[in-house]
């Protein structure tokens, strides 16, 4: 079932389109993540859904109803911001009760629902505290409880974890994921952190300059990025430029790679660092390459290689074994499995 539909949603500031004819559909219960670099229009999109920013063109429909021109308080949307935005002069209880009081719910119902919401974010017993007496993680939990207590049709989260330190961010991230699953609430989160996006999202929307660059599951975006922009934004990659012909690709430096899929339209190929195989010597299906640098990162070693024609690769391998003794300057063998060669088109055009 569809929860939210954005149809050619656009925000113009002067003649600059901060969001440019963005269309997407969010399913009931889905966790969708808007991901992209600073200034790509993520926050503006979220604010148009919430009603804090007026759309210039296009529409927003929630649960089958066009809400494009509705004021924020009539949209039944829960919003959590990066900076908590709690009312400092109110207790935790009153912060969470705020939306219910605005809706003029009876006192007994408010007590029950606030207690339930605080229980969900593991803050039972904190109701009477002043919100100033809370840690950052606790404040963000209160903000989540405040958004959930109104039983919104959709939960919007604008970089909700970025003000927390690294350890707490992971903790609250896991709690958020568990809570979203438990309640089955349709959720949209904005972030520029790819790890956060990959670990939370059922689907990710990668945005670039106000437009959707690609939508897909974390696995799809990682394995089959539609453009170099997506490939470099999600994970790390080796990018080799050249020309594709049938099931092969020849780099500008003259190295020909076999590919599992036809690459006739590809101008660049992506090879993920962990998909490359190394051997102590060149041989069958292993071409010679010179080691430029080996960096040990605990369980993984990162090996920078240079091939005879000048192509360079970064490879990630499990450390240990023969790789331990390898010094820069040594020649080893490198193999690229054909299925690891992913074609990308010219910038902005989906590859083969
Ligand atoms: P960040 O990750 O830095 O928050 P973002 O992807 O959320 O970035 P937006 O805040 O949506 O990006 O901004 C998109 C574009 O719109 C940017 O170029 C920004 O400068 C512009 N913009 C946003 N708000 C306004 C405004 N009130 N007036 C003019 N331009 C704006």
């Amino acid at each position: 079932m569809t929860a939210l539909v954005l149809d050619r949603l656009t925000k113009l500031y002067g003649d600059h389109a901060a969001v440019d004819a963005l269309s997407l559909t969010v399913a009931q219960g889905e966790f969708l993540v808007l991901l992209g670099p600073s200034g790509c229009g993520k926050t503006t999109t979220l604010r148009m859904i919430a009603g804090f920013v007026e759309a210039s063109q296009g529409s927003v429909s929630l649960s089958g109803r066009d809400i494009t021109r509705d004021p924020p308080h009539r949209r039944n949307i829960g919003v959590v911001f990066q900076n908590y935005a709690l009312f400092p002069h109110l207790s935790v209880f009153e912060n969470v009760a705020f939306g219910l009081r605005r809706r003029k719910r009876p006192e007994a119902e408010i007590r029950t629902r606030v207690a339930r919401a605080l229980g969900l974010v593991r803050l039972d017993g904190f109701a009477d505290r002043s919100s100033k007496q809370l840690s950052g993680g606790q404040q963000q939990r209160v903000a989540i409880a405040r958004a959930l207590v109104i039983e919104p049709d959709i939960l919007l989260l604008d970089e909700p974890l970025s003000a927390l330190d690294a350890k707490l961010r992971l903790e609250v991230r896991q709690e958020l994921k568990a809570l979203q699953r438990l309640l089955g609430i349709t959720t949209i989160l904005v972030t520029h952190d790819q790890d956060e996006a990959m670990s939370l999202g059922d689907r990710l929307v990668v945005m670039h300059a106000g437009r959707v660059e690609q939508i897909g599951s974390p696995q799809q975006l990682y394995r089959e990025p539609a453009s170099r922009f997506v490939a470099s934004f999600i994970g790390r990659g080796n990018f080799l430029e050249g020309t594709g012909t049938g099931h092969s690709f020849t780099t500008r430096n003259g190295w020909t790679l076999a590919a599992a899929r036809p690459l006739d339209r590809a101008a660049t190929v992506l090879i993920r660092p962990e998909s490359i195989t190394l051997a102590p010597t060149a041989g069958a299906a292993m071409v010679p390459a010179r080691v430029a640098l080996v960096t040990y990162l605990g369980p993984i070693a990162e090996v920078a290689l240079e091939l005879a024609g000048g192509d360079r690769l970064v490879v990630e391998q499990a450390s240990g074994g023969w790789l331990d003794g390898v010094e820069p300057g040594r020649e080893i063998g490198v193999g690229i499995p054909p299925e690891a060669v992913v074609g990308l088109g010219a910038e902005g055009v989906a590859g083969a």
Side-chain angles (χ1 to χ4, degrees):
M1 214 170 72
T2 301
L4 182 83
V5 180
L6 306 183
D7 186 21
R8 285 163 291 155
L9 193 63
T10 301
K11 181 66 194 178
L12 300 170
Y13 288 112
D15 54 6
H16 170 70
V19 176
D20 193 0
L22 187 135
S23 295
L24 64 91
T25 300
V26 188
Q28 187 68 44
E30 186 173 17
F31 200 138
L32 190 87
V33 177
L34 301 182
L35 177 69
S38 184
C40 70
K42 311 177 292 288
T43 298
T44 306
T45 303
L46 205 74
R47 288 179 165 268
M48 282 193 281
I49 300 170
F52 303 137
V53 165
E54 200 184 333
S56 309
Q57 287 153 29
S59 66
V60 182
S61 304
L62 184 61
S63 310
R65 198 166 64 86
D66 185 333
I67 58 164
T68 319
R69 304 286 157 218
D70 286 1
H73 64 273
R74 290 239 222 91
R75 296 187 178 207
N76 204 35
I77 285 176
V79 189
V80 177
F81 300 100
Q82 174 181 347
N83 54 3
Y84 327 130
L86 298 182
F87 306 113
H89 55 288
L90 295 182
S91 66
V92 167
F93 182 93
E94 288 304 330
N95 263 284
V96 178
F98 182 78
L100 298 174
R101 293 214 186 283
R102 276 193 71 160
R103 287 168 173 74
K104 308 214 176 343
R105 306 309 306 165
E107 191 61 29
E109 180 188 325
I110 291 178
R111 302 222 155 263
T112 317
R113 285 173 69 173
V114 170
R116 201 188 314 139
L118 286 175
L120 281 174
V121 296
R122 299 192 299 114
L123 285 179
D124 322 71
F126 283 74
D128 296 329
R129 287 250 195 128
S130 150
S131 54
K132 282 180 288 197
Q133 297 168 319
L134 300 176
S135 70
Q138 288 166 339
Q139 287 187 53
Q140 203 52 316
R141 289 195 191 104
V142 174
I144 294 168
R146 185 177 60 179
L148 289 175
V149 79
I150 59 163
E151 293 172 8
D153 291 328
I154 193 166
L155 180 63
L156 305 180
L157 306 161
D158 190 359
E159 308 240 9
L161 309 178
S162 56
L164 307 178
D165 68 47
K167 186 166 169 284
L168 202 55
R169 199 178 311 155
L170 278 183
E171 239 174 79
V172 181
R173 185 201 287 180
Q174 281 158 3
E175 284 175 17
L176 190 61
K177 175 103 181 166
L179 196 59
Q180 194 271 343
R181 288 274 177 273
L182 177 77
L183 300 175
I185 185 170
T186 313
T187 302
I188 303 183
L189 175 131
V190 158
T191 185
H192 57 256
D193 178 332
Q194 58 153 297
D195 287 345
E196 195 170 299
M198 303 272 273
S199 64
L200 286 172
D202 297 319
R203 281 191 308 154
L204 315 185
V205 179
V206 180
M207 291 183 65
H208 182 28
R211 291 171 169 269
V212 172
E213 185 86 7
Q214 191 174 4
I215 304 182
S217 68
Q219 291 83 350
Q220 275 168 343
L221 295 191
Y222 189 75
R223 292 186 192 138
E224 295 158 36
S227 64
R228 184 165 178 160
F229 179 83
V230 175
S232 51
F233 204 77
I234 301 210
R236 301 178 62 209
N238 294 287
F239 297 97
L240 302 176
E241 287 175 13
T243 312
T245 318
H247 286 262
S248 78
F249 185 85
T250 303
T251 70
R252 279 191 190 157
N253 295 320
W255 183 25
T256 297
L257 300 165
R261 280 177 288 186
L263 294 178
D264 292 307
R265 289 166 59 217
T268 305
V269 288
L270 158 73
I271 304 163
R272 294 289 186 195
E274 73 283 5
S275 64
I276 300 170
T277 26
L278 299 181
T281 52
M286 290 285 199
V287 295
R290 195 159 299 282
V291 173
L293 188 68
V294 182
T295 311
Y296 288 97
L297 304 165
I300 297 279
E302 193 181 276
V303 187
L305 295 173
E306 196 172 322
L307 282 92
D311 284 309
R312 289 161 185 271
L313 292 173
V314 172
V315 184
E316 281 174 12
Q317 299 278 292
S319 55
W322 66 270
L323 207 51
D324 264 356
V326 169
E327 297 285 339
R330 185 173 143 183
E331 193 177 277
I332 62 173
V334 57
I336 315 283
E339 55 283 0
V341 181
V342 179
L344 301 171
E347 199 49 43
V349 181

